[in-house]
Amino acid sequence: SKHLERHDEL
Amino acid sequence: MNIFRLTGDLAHLIAIIILLHKIWKSRSCAGISGKSQVLFALVYTTRYLDLVTSYVSIYNTFMKFVFLATSYATIYLIYVKFKATYDHNHDTFRIEFLILPSLALALLINHYFNFLEVLWTFSIYLESVAILPQLFMVSKTGEAESITSHYLFALGSYRALYILNWIYRYATEGHYDLIAIVAGVVQTVLYCDFFYLYITKVLKGKKLQLPA
């Protein structure tokens, strides 16, 4: 989920 | 989402459409580096593995899917369908010199040491240099078709617009990602020489020709 929090860009 | 990121994403999308359209219409991939396109496919594949593990928005999922699909379509056009027109004699950049250092750096400098995160970091590092085989090809032949120049300009603009997005996000949300920012700046700097030639030549109707 930390991954999701940070990588919300393309 | 803000205006800088949206226009950045659109510039990226437009670049891909310009490239696919050029190859399809001319039935030729002359002047296009297949190696840069292979690197981009590798970039999207390693970055968008999270397509199956995490959901951000319909927009994100759709764009990731489009970038993946179009990158493989481009490779298919270059290496299969219009293979005879592929200028491999001028596409001689050694991509292992970009892939291996990017991988090593991703293993050393990342936010978290796990599989998805290291691959995400690798994709960020690799993307920053993935255009080098294409720029090398242009410098080797000494010229680029206008349409190839438009493609490069749109593709270069995308990360430059992302830098504005990151400044905006830092100012409004306090959000920042140092790995993406440093790599994005490197990526944009690599295009600077090209941007200069594009503005001073291509936009004035001249062909992009490098001084002999």
Side-chain angles (χ1 to χ4, degrees):
Chain A
S1 60
K2 275 174 176 169
H3 181 81
L4 175 63
E5 274 165 34
R6 196 176 319 97
H7 308 314
D8 59 349
E9 291 176 344
L10 294 166
Chain B
M1 181 61 79
N2 57 63
I3 190 71
F4 305 113
R5 196 189 135 190
L6 185 63
T7 47
D9 287 345
L10 289 179
H12 194 181
L13 198 58
I14 288 166
I16 292 168
I17 292 168
I18 289 174
L19 182 64
L20 280 172
H21 184 260
K22 169 209 145 55
I23 296 175
W24 191 257
K25 274 284 161 187
S26 65
R27 320 296 289 173
S28 163
C29 52
I32 300 301
S33 165
K35 291 189 174 185
S36 275
Q37 297 307 316
V38 166
L39 293 180
F40 283 124
L42 189 58
V43 164
Y44 303 136
T45 307
T46 51
R47 187 175 310 167
Y48 300 152
L49 284 177
D50 66 355
L51 202 54
V52 286
T53 61
S54 57
Y55 174 80
V56 179
S57 64
I58 284 281
Y59 173 83
N60 260 55
T61 303
F62 174 75
M63 294 296 262
K64 285 173 178 177
F65 183 77
V66 168
F67 290 151
L68 275 169
T70 50
S71 70
Y72 283 98
T74 308
I75 287 179
Y76 168 76
L77 294 183
I78 295 174
Y79 287 99
V80 182
K81 193 159 176 68
F82 301 122
K83 190 177 191 239
T85 64
Y86 170 48
D87 197 4
H88 62 88
N89 290 330
H90 288 123
D91 195 14
T92 51
F93 199 97
R94 300 277 297 273
I95 55 174
E96 60 271 33
F97 291 157
L98 301 177
I99 295 172
L100 295 177
S102 299
L103 187 61
L105 201 59
L107 288 166
L108 288 171
I109 304 173
N110 51 58
H111 293 300
Y112 302 99
F113 194 81
N114 65 40
F115 184 70
L116 272 187
E117 190 63 27
V118 168
L119 283 185
W120 177 87
T121 313
F122 165 72
S123 84
I124 293 289
Y125 294 151
L126 186 62
E127 184 188 341
S128 70
V129 292
I131 201 61
L132 286 177
Q134 179 65 61
L135 294 176
F136 181 69
M137 196 169 176
V138 171
S139 76
K140 224 178 163 192
T141 56
E143 57 178 39
E145 278 180 65
S146 296
I147 193 75
T148 307
S149 305
H150 300 326
Y151 161 71
L152 281 169
F153 183 75
L155 193 64
S157 308
Y158 133 74
R159 225 47 177 172
L161 287 160
Y162 256 70
I163 294 173
L164 299 179
N165 155 56
W166 292 324
I167 294 170
Y168 180 87
R169 286 192 74 176
Y170 181 68
T172 56
E173 307 164 33
H175 167 103
Y176 71 100
D177 182 331
L178 216 48
I179 288 178
I181 292 169
V182 172
V185 169
V186 169
Q187 185 168 340
T188 305
V189 165
L190 291 181
Y191 284 87
C192 281
D193 191 37
F194 167 80
F195 284 155
Y196 174 77
L197 289 172
Y198 184 82
I199 291 163
T200 56
K201 291 196 173 172
V202 182
L203 288 185
K204 288 177 182 156
K206 291 183 222 158
K207 195 173 179 176
L208 193 136
Q209 216 151 11
L210 302 178

PDB file of all heavy atoms in Angstrom, chain A, chain B residues 5 48 112 117 120 162 165-166 169 177:
ATOM      1  N   SER A   1       0.831  -1.204   0.000  1.00  0.00           N
ATOM      2  CA  SER A   1       0.000   0.000   0.000  1.00  0.00           C
ATOM      3  C   SER A   1       0.863   1.250   0.000  1.00  0.00           C
ATOM      4  O   SER A   1       0.456   2.288  -0.510  1.00  0.00           O
ATOM      5  CB  SER A   1      -0.914   0.004   1.221  1.00  0.00           C
ATOM      6  OG  SER A   1      -0.115  -0.015   2.391  1.00  0.00           O
ATOM      7  N   LYS A   2       2.067   1.159   0.562  1.00  0.00           N
ATOM      8  CA  LYS A   2       2.989   2.304   0.488  1.00  0.00           C
ATOM      9  C   LYS A   2       3.316   2.583  -0.977  1.00  0.00           C
ATOM     10  O   LYS A   2       3.487   3.717  -1.393  1.00  0.00           O
ATOM     11  CB  LYS A   2       4.274   1.996   1.250  1.00  0.00           C
ATOM     12  CG  LYS A   2       4.168   2.292   2.727  1.00  0.00           C
ATOM     13  CD  LYS A   2       5.395   1.852   3.476  1.00  0.00           C
ATOM     14  CE  LYS A   2       5.306   2.248   4.940  1.00  0.00           C
ATOM     15  NZ  LYS A   2       6.346   1.611   5.733  1.00  0.00           N
ATOM     16  N   HIS A   3       3.398   1.491  -1.731  1.00  0.00           N
ATOM     17  CA  HIS A   3       3.642   1.599  -3.159  1.00  0.00           C
ATOM     18  C   HIS A   3       2.536   2.433  -3.800  1.00  0.00           C
ATOM     19  O   HIS A   3       2.798   3.353  -4.545  1.00  0.00           O
ATOM     20  CB  HIS A   3       3.684   0.184  -3.760  1.00  0.00           C
ATOM     21  CG  HIS A   3       3.941   0.177  -5.223  1.00  0.00           C
ATOM     22  ND1 HIS A   3       5.198   0.305  -5.754  1.00  0.00           N
ATOM     23  CD2 HIS A   3       3.105   0.062  -6.268  1.00  0.00           C
ATOM     24  CE1 HIS A   3       5.118   0.264  -7.055  1.00  0.00           C
ATOM     25  NE2 HIS A   3       3.860   0.110  -7.401  1.00  0.00           N
ATOM     26  N   LEU A   4       1.303   2.085  -3.457  1.00  0.00           N
ATOM     27  CA  LEU A   4       0.145   2.773  -4.030  1.00  0.00           C
ATOM     28  C   LEU A   4       0.139   4.253  -3.637  1.00  0.00           C
ATOM     29  O   LEU A   4      -0.107   5.113  -4.465  1.00  0.00           O
ATOM     30  CB  LEU A   4      -1.131   2.087  -3.547  1.00  0.00           C
ATOM     31  CG  LEU A   4      -2.450   2.750  -3.949  1.00  0.00           C
ATOM     32  CD1 LEU A   4      -2.593   2.746  -5.453  1.00  0.00           C
ATOM     33  CD2 LEU A   4      -3.619   2.018  -3.324  1.00  0.00           C
ATOM     34  N   GLU A   5       0.434   4.523  -2.367  1.00  0.00           N
ATOM     35  CA  GLU A   5       0.427   5.909  -1.901  1.00  0.00           C
ATOM     36  C   GLU A   5       1.368   6.785  -2.720  1.00  0.00           C
ATOM     37  O   GLU A   5       1.029   7.888  -3.081  1.00  0.00           O
ATOM     38  CB  GLU A   5       0.917   5.964  -0.458  1.00  0.00           C
ATOM     39  CG  GLU A   5      -0.173   5.727   0.578  1.00  0.00           C
ATOM     40  CD  GLU A   5       0.420   5.443   1.930  1.00  0.00           C
ATOM     41  OE1 GLU A   5       1.475   6.020   2.239  1.00  0.00           O
ATOM     42  OE2 GLU A   5      -0.148   4.628   2.650  1.00  0.00           O
ATOM     43  N   ARG A   6       2.528   6.249  -2.998  1.00  0.00           N
ATOM     44  CA  ARG A   6       3.496   7.081  -3.680  1.00  0.00           C
ATOM     45  C   ARG A   6       3.295   7.119  -5.196  1.00  0.00           C
ATOM     46  O   ARG A   6       3.351   8.156  -5.806  1.00  0.00           O
ATOM     47  CB  ARG A   6       4.920   6.638  -3.361  1.00  0.00           C
ATOM     48  CG  ARG A   6       5.918   7.692  -3.729  1.00  0.00           C
ATOM     49  CD  ARG A   6       7.329   7.343  -3.349  1.00  0.00           C
ATOM     50  NE  ARG A   6       7.434   6.729  -2.055  1.00  0.00           N
ATOM     51  CZ  ARG A   6       7.502   5.412  -1.891  1.00  0.00           C
ATOM     52  NH1 ARG A   6       7.481   4.610  -2.917  1.00  0.00           N
ATOM     53  NH2 ARG A   6       7.592   4.907  -0.696  1.00  0.00           N
ATOM     54  N   HIS A   7       3.057   5.947  -5.784  1.00  0.00           N
ATOM     55  CA  HIS A   7       3.058   5.893  -7.247  1.00  0.00           C
ATOM     56  C   HIS A   7       1.668   6.076  -7.835  1.00  0.00           C
ATOM     57  O   HIS A   7       1.097   5.163  -8.376  1.00  0.00           O
ATOM     58  CB  HIS A   7       3.685   4.580  -7.707  1.00  0.00           C
ATOM     59  CG  HIS A   7       5.027   4.328  -7.086  1.00  0.00           C
ATOM     60  ND1 HIS A   7       5.995   5.296  -7.016  1.00  0.00           N
ATOM     61  CD2 HIS A   7       5.551   3.241  -6.499  1.00  0.00           C
ATOM     62  CE1 HIS A   7       7.059   4.816  -6.406  1.00  0.00           C
ATOM     63  NE2 HIS A   7       6.824   3.576  -6.070  1.00  0.00           N
ATOM     64  N   ASP A   8       1.174   7.296  -7.670  1.00  0.00           N
ATOM     65  CA  ASP A   8      -0.144   7.572  -8.241  1.00  0.00           C
ATOM     66  C   ASP A   8      -0.020   8.307  -9.575  1.00  0.00           C
ATOM     67  O   ASP A   8      -0.981   8.810 -10.114  1.00  0.00           O
ATOM     68  CB  ASP A   8      -0.986   8.378  -7.243  1.00  0.00           C
ATOM     69  CG  ASP A   8      -0.316   9.700  -6.870  1.00  0.00           C
ATOM     70  OD1 ASP A   8       0.878   9.892  -7.212  1.00  0.00           O
ATOM     71  OD2 ASP A   8      -0.973  10.544  -6.243  1.00  0.00           O
ATOM     72  N   GLU A   9       1.239   8.362 -10.087  1.00  0.00           N
ATOM     73  CA  GLU A   9       1.439   9.023 -11.375  1.00  0.00           C
ATOM     74  C   GLU A   9       1.825   7.995 -12.423  1.00  0.00           C
ATOM     75  O   GLU A   9       2.079   6.836 -12.100  1.00  0.00           O
ATOM     76  CB  GLU A   9       2.536  10.090 -11.236  1.00  0.00           C
ATOM     77  CG  GLU A   9       2.087  11.252 -10.376  1.00  0.00           C
ATOM     78  CD  GLU A   9       3.174  12.283 -10.130  1.00  0.00           C
ATOM     79  OE1 GLU A   9       4.353  11.983 -10.366  1.00  0.00           O
ATOM     80  OE2 GLU A   9       2.815  13.379  -9.687  1.00  0.00           O
ATOM     81  N   LEU A  10       1.909   8.450 -13.679  1.00  0.00           N
ATOM     82  CA  LEU A  10       2.175   7.484 -14.752  1.00  0.00           C
ATOM     83  C   LEU A  10       3.660   7.368 -15.082  1.00  0.00           C
ATOM     84  O   LEU A  10       4.420   8.243 -14.782  1.00  0.00           O
ATOM     85  CB  LEU A  10       1.399   7.878 -16.003  1.00  0.00           C
ATOM     86  CG  LEU A  10      -0.110   7.772 -15.803  1.00  0.00           C
ATOM     87  CD1 LEU A  10      -0.831   8.487 -16.915  1.00  0.00           C
ATOM     88  CD2 LEU A  10      -0.540   6.316 -15.752  1.00  0.00           C
TER      89      LEU A  10
ATOM     90  N   ARG B   5       0.140  17.993 -14.925  1.00  0.00           N
ATOM     91  CA  ARG B   5       0.199  16.545 -15.116  1.00  0.00           C
ATOM     92  C   ARG B   5      -0.696  16.109 -16.267  1.00  0.00           C
ATOM     93  O   ARG B   5      -0.306  15.263 -17.068  1.00  0.00           O
ATOM     94  CB  ARG B   5      -0.209  15.823 -13.830  1.00  0.00           C
ATOM     95  CG  ARG B   5       0.233  14.394 -13.933  1.00  0.00           C
ATOM     96  CD  ARG B   5      -0.254  13.477 -12.881  1.00  0.00           C
ATOM     97  NE  ARG B   5      -0.696  12.263 -13.545  1.00  0.00           N
ATOM     98  CZ  ARG B   5      -1.363  11.307 -12.956  1.00  0.00           C
ATOM     99  NH1 ARG B   5      -1.684  11.427 -11.693  1.00  0.00           N
ATOM    100  NH2 ARG B   5      -1.720  10.264 -13.619  1.00  0.00           N
ATOM    101  N   TYR B  48       4.373  -0.726 -14.691  1.00  0.00           N
ATOM    102  CA  TYR B  48       2.930  -0.928 -14.579  1.00  0.00           C
ATOM    103  C   TYR B  48       2.542  -2.339 -14.163  1.00  0.00           C
ATOM    104  O   TYR B  48       1.410  -2.750 -14.333  1.00  0.00           O
ATOM    105  CB  TYR B  48       2.241  -0.518 -15.886  1.00  0.00           C
ATOM    106  CG  TYR B  48       2.466   0.935 -16.240  1.00  0.00           C
ATOM    107  CD1 TYR B  48       2.451   1.373 -17.552  1.00  0.00           C
ATOM    108  CD2 TYR B  48       2.702   1.884 -15.235  1.00  0.00           C
ATOM    109  CE1 TYR B  48       2.674   2.711 -17.871  1.00  0.00           C
ATOM    110  CE2 TYR B  48       2.934   3.216 -15.542  1.00  0.00           C
ATOM    111  CZ  TYR B  48       2.917   3.631 -16.867  1.00  0.00           C
ATOM    112  OH  TYR B  48       3.139   4.943 -17.174  1.00  0.00           O
ATOM    113  N   TYR B 112      12.018   1.464  -1.090  1.00  0.00           N
ATOM    114  CA  TYR B 112      11.868   0.229  -0.316  1.00  0.00           C
ATOM    115  C   TYR B 112      12.506  -0.880  -1.120  1.00  0.00           C
ATOM    116  O   TYR B 112      12.407  -0.888  -2.347  1.00  0.00           O
ATOM    117  CB  TYR B 112      10.394  -0.131  -0.090  1.00  0.00           C
ATOM    118  CG  TYR B 112       9.616   0.942   0.606  1.00  0.00           C
ATOM    119  CD1 TYR B 112       8.828   1.817  -0.128  1.00  0.00           C
ATOM    120  CD2 TYR B 112       9.672   1.084   1.996  1.00  0.00           C
ATOM    121  CE1 TYR B 112       8.116   2.822   0.502  1.00  0.00           C
ATOM    122  CE2 TYR B 112       8.970   2.086   2.633  1.00  0.00           C
ATOM    123  CZ  TYR B 112       8.194   2.952   1.880  1.00  0.00           C
ATOM    124  OH  TYR B 112       7.498   3.948   2.496  1.00  0.00           O
ATOM    125  N   GLU B 117       8.880  -2.492  -5.978  1.00  0.00           N
ATOM    126  CA  GLU B 117       9.473  -1.174  -5.778  1.00  0.00           C
ATOM    127  C   GLU B 117      10.797  -1.033  -6.549  1.00  0.00           C
ATOM    128  O   GLU B 117      11.052   0.006  -7.151  1.00  0.00           O
ATOM    129  CB  GLU B 117       9.684  -0.937  -4.280  1.00  0.00           C
ATOM    130  CG  GLU B 117      10.069   0.467  -3.927  1.00  0.00           C
ATOM    131  CD  GLU B 117       9.001   1.495  -4.287  1.00  0.00           C
ATOM    132  OE1 GLU B 117       7.804   1.161  -4.337  1.00  0.00           O
ATOM    133  OE2 GLU B 117       9.397   2.641  -4.535  1.00  0.00           O
ATOM    134  N   TRP B 120       9.901  -0.681 -10.130  1.00  0.00           N
ATOM    135  CA  TRP B 120       9.381   0.667 -10.379  1.00  0.00           C
ATOM    136  C   TRP B 120      10.554   1.653 -10.493  1.00  0.00           C
ATOM    137  O   TRP B 120      10.618   2.476 -11.399  1.00  0.00           O
ATOM    138  CB  TRP B 120       8.442   1.098  -9.233  1.00  0.00           C
ATOM    139  CG  TRP B 120       7.930   2.507  -9.392  1.00  0.00           C
ATOM    140  CD1 TRP B 120       6.825   2.901 -10.079  1.00  0.00           C
ATOM    141  CD2 TRP B 120       8.533   3.709  -8.884  1.00  0.00           C
ATOM    142  NE1 TRP B 120       6.699   4.269 -10.034  1.00  0.00           N
ATOM    143  CE2 TRP B 120       7.728   4.787  -9.306  1.00  0.00           C
ATOM    144  CE3 TRP B 120       9.671   3.978  -8.116  1.00  0.00           C
ATOM    145  CZ2 TRP B 120       8.023   6.115  -8.982  1.00  0.00           C
ATOM    146  CZ3 TRP B 120       9.968   5.310  -7.797  1.00  0.00           C
ATOM    147  CH2 TRP B 120       9.151   6.358  -8.223  1.00  0.00           C
ATOM    148  N   TYR B 162       5.862  17.296 -16.316  1.00  0.00           N
ATOM    149  CA  TYR B 162       5.792  16.587 -15.026  1.00  0.00           C
ATOM    150  C   TYR B 162       6.602  17.323 -13.961  1.00  0.00           C
ATOM    151  O   TYR B 162       6.237  17.324 -12.790  1.00  0.00           O
ATOM    152  CB  TYR B 162       6.292  15.145 -15.180  1.00  0.00           C
ATOM    153  CG  TYR B 162       5.171  14.120 -15.197  1.00  0.00           C
ATOM    154  CD1 TYR B 162       4.290  14.030 -16.277  1.00  0.00           C
ATOM    155  CD2 TYR B 162       4.976  13.243 -14.133  1.00  0.00           C
ATOM    156  CE1 TYR B 162       3.267  13.103 -16.303  1.00  0.00           C
ATOM    157  CE2 TYR B 162       3.946  12.311 -14.143  1.00  0.00           C
ATOM    158  CZ  TYR B 162       3.098  12.240 -15.226  1.00  0.00           C
ATOM    159  OH  TYR B 162       2.082  11.320 -15.225  1.00  0.00           O
ATOM    160  N   ASN B 165       4.454  19.809 -12.650  1.00  0.00           N
ATOM    161  CA  ASN B 165       3.484  19.099 -11.808  1.00  0.00           C
ATOM    162  C   ASN B 165       4.062  18.806 -10.426  1.00  0.00           C
ATOM    163  O   ASN B 165       3.389  18.981  -9.406  1.00  0.00           O
ATOM    164  CB  ASN B 165       3.077  17.816 -12.546  1.00  0.00           C
ATOM    165  CG  ASN B 165       2.580  16.717 -11.619  1.00  0.00           C
ATOM    166  OD1 ASN B 165       1.650  16.902 -10.847  1.00  0.00           O
ATOM    167  ND2 ASN B 165       3.230  15.559 -11.699  1.00  0.00           N
ATOM    168  N   TRP B 166       5.337  18.391 -10.403  1.00  0.00           N
ATOM    169  CA  TRP B 166       5.957  18.070  -9.106  1.00  0.00           C
ATOM    170  C   TRP B 166       6.147  19.315  -8.251  1.00  0.00           C
ATOM    171  O   TRP B 166       5.991  19.278  -7.033  1.00  0.00           O
ATOM    172  CB  TRP B 166       7.294  17.335  -9.319  1.00  0.00           C
ATOM    173  CG  TRP B 166       7.114  15.957  -9.903  1.00  0.00           C
ATOM    174  CD1 TRP B 166       6.101  15.083  -9.639  1.00  0.00           C
ATOM    175  CD2 TRP B 166       7.959  15.307 -10.863  1.00  0.00           C
ATOM    176  NE1 TRP B 166       6.265  13.937 -10.368  1.00  0.00           N
ATOM    177  CE2 TRP B 166       7.398  14.033 -11.125  1.00  0.00           C
ATOM    178  CE3 TRP B 166       9.136  15.667 -11.523  1.00  0.00           C
ATOM    179  CZ2 TRP B 166       7.968  13.124 -12.013  1.00  0.00           C
ATOM    180  CZ3 TRP B 166       9.711  14.765 -12.410  1.00  0.00           C
ATOM    181  CH2 TRP B 166       9.123  13.511 -12.642  1.00  0.00           C
ATOM    182  N   ARG B 169       2.705  20.106  -6.966  1.00  0.00           N
ATOM    183  CA  ARG B 169       2.285  19.162  -5.918  1.00  0.00           C
ATOM    184  C   ARG B 169       3.029  19.408  -4.606  1.00  0.00           C
ATOM    185  O   ARG B 169       2.464  19.256  -3.529  1.00  0.00           O
ATOM    186  CB  ARG B 169       2.497  17.709  -6.376  1.00  0.00           C
ATOM    187  CG  ARG B 169       1.495  17.264  -7.401  1.00  0.00           C
ATOM    188  CD  ARG B 169       1.536  15.761  -7.612  1.00  0.00           C
ATOM    189  NE  ARG B 169       0.928  15.039  -6.509  1.00  0.00           N
ATOM    190  CZ  ARG B 169       0.762  13.716  -6.492  1.00  0.00           C
ATOM    191  NH1 ARG B 169       1.161  12.984  -7.521  1.00  0.00           N
ATOM    192  NH2 ARG B 169       0.205  13.112  -5.476  1.00  0.00           N
ATOM    193  N   ASP B 177       8.679  13.135  -4.642  1.00  0.00           N
ATOM    194  CA  ASP B 177       9.366  11.848  -4.777  1.00  0.00           C
ATOM    195  C   ASP B 177      10.713  12.136  -5.420  1.00  0.00           C
ATOM    196  O   ASP B 177      10.794  12.402  -6.618  1.00  0.00           O
ATOM    197  CB  ASP B 177       8.522  10.916  -5.647  1.00  0.00           C
ATOM    198  CG  ASP B 177       9.151   9.539  -5.793  1.00  0.00           C
ATOM    199  OD1 ASP B 177      10.395   9.432  -5.738  1.00  0.00           O
ATOM    200  OD2 ASP B 177       8.404   8.579  -5.974  1.00  0.00           O
TER     201      ASP B 177
END
